[in-house]
Amino acid sequence: MRRKDRELKTLEEMMEVLRACKVCRMAMVDGERPYVLPLNFGAEREGDGIAVYLHCAKEGRKLEILRRNPRVCLEMDCEHGLIEAEKACNYGYTFASVLGEGTAEILEDPAEQRHGLTVLMEQQTGKHFSFTDAEASAVAVLRVRLAASALTGKRHAR
């Protein structure tokens, strides 16, 4: 990382940023072509890394791609703000971001599906929800495990 003064160095700092974010961009490779989607997500600490949960329809291009190549890159950002100045070249922008690489799993176990949706809804709403097996199986639930070694984070504050 070029700007070491802006680097997030601990998983706790990265989780703080993730808790403030609502949208995750998931990059995949579709044959020879990149494919990126914005998705709502939920994140939690898991051992020495972070687990990110996503959900989607049970069929479609995203799942077709992930079945062929489950390797993904996730990007989440927040804390956006323009830093104004007198000269155009002195303008800046505040932000916080986390980037990680991992493998997407399509969860089949009902307990894991319910857990993933609970984490996602807590992230999005700040409220705890419970799900039945039928509710959880109505959508595809994805988990991407991000090892600490596959994570980077950065913050530019005022």
Side-chain angles (χ1 to χ4, degrees), residues 52-113:
V52 175
Y53 294 93
L54 310 139
H55 78 300
C56 60
K58 293 185 78 152
E59 59 185 52
R61 183 177 179 190
K62 177 183 352 55
L63 292 181
E64 290 170 13
I65 294 168
L66 292 175
R67 285 186 181 106
R68 287 191 303 268
N69 182 358
R71 294 179 57 203
V72 298
C73 183
L74 303 181
E75 187 276 343
M76 291 82 42
D77 59 82
C78 57
E79 300 179 16
H80 307 135
L82 185 65
I83 301 170
E84 296 188 34
E86 291 297 316
K87 296 177 79 176
C89 292
N90 292 334
Y91 268 72
Y93 201 73
T94 63
F95 68 91
S97 64
V98 174
L99 181 74
E101 295 178 24
T103 301
E105 303 171 70
I106 303 167
L107 300 179
E108 300 294 338
D109 179 70
E112 289 183 328
Q113 293 170 333

Side-chain angles (χ1 to χ4, degrees), residues 27-45:
M28 301 165 274
V29 178
D30 186 6
E32 300 276 328
R33 302 181 66 173
Y35 186 62
V36 178
L37 290 173
L39 301 160
N40 293 112
F41 75 101
E44 68 179 352
R45 281 290 305 269

